Amino acid sequence: MIEKRDFYIDGKWVAPQDGRDHQVINPSTEEPCTTISLGGQADVDAAVAAAKAALPGWMATAPEERIALMEKFVEIYKTRAEEMAQAISTEMGAPIEMARAAQWGAGYGHMKNFIKAAKEFKFIKPLGDHAPNDRIIHEAVGVVAMITPWNWPMNQVTLKVGAAVAAGCTMVLKPSEESPLSAVLFAEMMDEAGFPAGVFNLVNGDGQGVGTALTGHEDVDMVSFTGSTRAGIAISKNAADTLKKVHLELGGKGANLVFADADEKAVKRGVLHMMNNSGQSCNAPSRMMVEASVYDQAVETAAEVASKVTVGPASEEGRHIGPVVNESQWGKIQDLIQKGIDEGARLVAGGTGRPENLNRGFYVKPTVFADVTPDMTIAREEIFGPVLSIMKFESEDQAVEMANDTVYGLTNYVQSQDGARRNRLAQKLRSGMVEMNGESRGAGAPFGGMKRSGNGREGGVWGIEDFCEVKAVSGWSND
């Protein structure tokens, strides 16, 4: 068991005013790994009041001073890398090697990118030569409520906190109750870096309690939420009465278009990308759409690759996938795998139940379905597990139509050696991001989606802009 920590409010660790205990379950073992307090309205009020009181001074702090504190934080974050990796691995099941590299590394990379973006960001700039006395000011939006999920804890916390710090906002973070250990460590590092009291506050809680209290709070100016589309809709409705800004990073059902001229590693790459983090990524390429002439070979390759993906405890070294986060998610995934079978998809790898030799823990077999049609449930619903659906297309136009036939619009993928085709598809696919031939987006590229995948962008200069209000000023003195 890991030592219990309470809330971080106004620069101090404090006990909850009206909290209740919540056990955090290690998904590899199904055993409790720690107990946290879930806060209530009084705890939220205290945290928001601290953030509101700190806002004027923090907004007035020179950007250079804010950046210096971010740089100090990054150095501390680097020295506590193993603690962070162990916390993430324990609480949400990322294999320890992946937790050290990708899970910890995502937070490190985002903070470094925000430092670079902040140094180049023009908080005050001229409107243009036609209006020499006009200025555009980017000003902190104010007090921000941040609600983050469990699947990539530091990725999502740093995308919000880094941007808000750079913009001059104060904040209250509610991490997922499934992954609070990493957030508590993060708060310790913010404290050690010397951020002024009230700038960063942490209140643990669940969505119905702390989440609802934060998103409807009259002194919160903005909500930044990452999670399910269902929760994003509820948050938007709750925030509407106060007309606060709402930034949503939601679900996805990414299409991976594999053309006949794709490179020889394209299918393998797509399968492994889908299985990464046990399929618990909103930008996962969960619908592999393959050109008819190479479809049969792609299905055979995908089945072979998936059959070689090993599953095991998060604490073990090695390249494998771990469990999914909890029993509820495990059950949902099992139901959707069975739904795929019942609706007539061809199961070519995996299936229902736990993998062999794993009778405890929330483990899912790496699963691949072929002959999936657009009307099937597994082609339409976000599964959030290691389950790949393979579909066939006859033409480029049909591929685009199938890819766009979804309520989501986060990330799509293209595998083709034809540069003109790739450029056409980049413009036709309705998603906030398009990645082609295995090339990742560059450092500081914006992350975000269209349609029911949300609104706003995170990362780099776009992330900072999302935490700012834009103020137009005339009559600026040039003296």
Side-chain angles (χ1 to χ4, degrees), residues 311 329-343 345-359 361-369 378 383 386-387:
V311 185
Q329 287 293 120
W330 188 88
K332 174 191 170 188
I333 295 163
Q334 298 302 311
D335 289 346
L336 284 165
I337 292 173
Q338 186 61 51
K339 193 81 169 176
I341 296 169
D342 294 344
E343 292 184 356
R346 177 161 56 103
L347 183 69
V348 297
T352 57
R354 290 179 172 85
E356 290 184 20
N357 304 318
L358 291 169
N359 58 9
F362 307 121
Y363 300 100
V364 176
K365 295 176 184 176
T367 297
V368 177
F369 283 102
I378 58 172
I383 299 173
V387 182

Side-chain angles (χ1 to χ4, degrees), residues 453-468:
S453 287
N455 55 61
R457 294 295 180 267
E458 293 187 320
V461 64
W462 292 272
I464 297 174
E465 286 178 345
D466 257 20
F467 285 84
C468 291

Side-chain angles (χ1 to χ4, degrees), residues 179-245:
S179 58
L181 300 174
S182 53
V184 168
L185 277 179
F186 185 90
E188 289 179 0
M189 297 177 205
M190 292 290 284
D191 182 71
E192 187 179 347
F195 283 88
V199 168
F200 172 85
N201 305 274
L202 168 71
V203 178
N204 282 307
D206 57 18
Q208 288 185 329
V210 170
T212 298
L214 272 174
T215 56
H217 203 290
E218 63 179 9
D219 288 332
V220 167
D221 301 296
M222 174 181 171
V223 175
S224 181
F225 170 78
T226 301
S228 71
T229 297
R230 175 196 55 77
I233 292 168
I235 284 169
S236 297
K237 291 178 179 178
N238 191 43
D241 286 343
T242 51
L243 291 176
K244 56 174 57 69
K245 186 175 182 179

Side-chain angles (χ1 to χ4, degrees), residues 4-21 35-48 50 172-173 184 187-188 191 197-198 200-205:
K4 176 181 174 181
R5 295 300 297 269
D6 288 319
F7 306 157
Y8 184 75
I9 297 175
D10 204 18
K12 301 179 290 292
W13 289 99
V14 298
Q17 297 183 49
D18 56 2
R20 65 187 193 280
D21 283 349
T35 300
I36 62 167
S37 295
L38 301 180
Q41 185 69 53
D43 304 298
V44 169
D45 288 344
V48 172
V172 180
L173 170 66
V184 168
E188 289 179 0
D191 182 71
F200 172 85
N201 305 274
L202 168 71
V203 178
N204 282 307

Side-chain angles (χ1 to χ4, degrees), residues 29-322:
T29 65
E30 300 187 43
E31 296 293 334
C33 61
T34 193
T35 300
I36 62 167
S37 295
L38 301 180
Q41 185 69 53
D43 304 298
V44 169
D45 288 344
V48 172
K52 184 178 180 181
L55 180 62
W58 184 241
M59 285 179 63
T61 302
E64 293 77 16
E65 294 182 44
R66 300 199 293 263
I67 292 167
L69 286 170
M70 293 170 71
E71 290 175 328
K72 188 173 181 181
F73 169 87
V74 166
E75 291 307 308
I76 296 166
Y77 187 82
K78 189 163 38 172
T79 65
R80 302 186 69 177
E82 183 63 18
E83 286 179 85
M84 182 62 79
Q86 292 289 346
I88 293 172
S89 183
T90 299
E91 67 191 2
M92 58 73 60
I96 187 59
E97 287 189 19
M98 183 213 176
R100 289 179 182 132
Q103 291 276 6
W104 172 86
Y108 183 75
H110 289 318
M111 292 301 288
K112 294 283 284 186
N113 289 333
F114 279 129
I115 289 168
K116 181 178 184 295
K119 287 179 177 179
E120 299 170 356
F121 196 88
K122 302 298 183 185
F123 288 93
I124 302 176
K125 60 184 180 182
L127 173 62
D129 292 341
H130 68 289
N133 296 327
D134 281 33
R135 293 293 181 272
I136 301 299
I137 298 177
H138 280 85
E139 181 175 288
V141 72
V143 175
V144 181
M146 302 174 173
I147 301 176
T148 56
W150 44 263
N151 59 325
W152 287 89
M154 282 302 102
N155 179 73
Q156 281 132 341
V157 168
T158 54
L159 277 172
K160 298 181 190 310
V161 173
V165 165
C169 298
T170 58
M171 63 212 79
V172 180
L173 170 66
K174 187 208 85 66
S176 169
E177 64 272 29
E178 303 286 351
S179 58
L181 300 174
S182 53
V184 168
L185 277 179
F186 185 90
E188 289 179 0
M189 297 177 205
M190 292 290 284
D191 182 71
E192 187 179 347
F195 283 88
V199 168
F200 172 85
N201 305 274
L202 168 71
V203 178
N204 282 307
D206 57 18
Q208 288 185 329
V210 170
T212 298
L214 272 174
T215 56
H217 203 290
E218 63 179 9
D219 288 332
V220 167
D221 301 296
M222 174 181 171
V223 175
S224 181
F225 170 78
T226 301
S228 71
T229 297
R230 175 196 55 77
I233 292 168
I235 284 169
S236 297
K237 291 178 179 178
N238 191 43
D241 286 343
T242 51
L243 291 176
K244 56 174 57 69
K245 186 175 182 179
V246 179
H247 173 125
L248 302 172
E249 297 292 349
L250 307 175
K253 193 68 179 175
N256 185 10
L257 307 187
V258 180
F259 288 85
D261 66 344
D263 67 90
E264 61 181 11
K265 295 181 180 179
V267 172
K268 179 180 180 179
R269 186 168 62 239
V271 174
L272 295 179
H273 189 172
M274 181 62 238
M275 303 302 165
N276 186 46
N277 205 38
S278 300
Q280 299 172 120
S281 300
C282 51
N283 61 344
S286 56
R287 296 179 297 155
M288 181 179 286
M289 299 175 178
V290 184
E291 192 166 3
S293 61
V294 293
Y295 178 81
D296 290 341
Q297 181 59 56
V299 170
E300 183 179 327
T301 299
E304 181 182 357
V305 171
S307 69
K308 294 178 180 177
V309 174
T310 56
V311 185
S315 58
E316 291 185 359
E317 303 282 346
R319 295 175 63 85
H320 59 279
I321 66 173

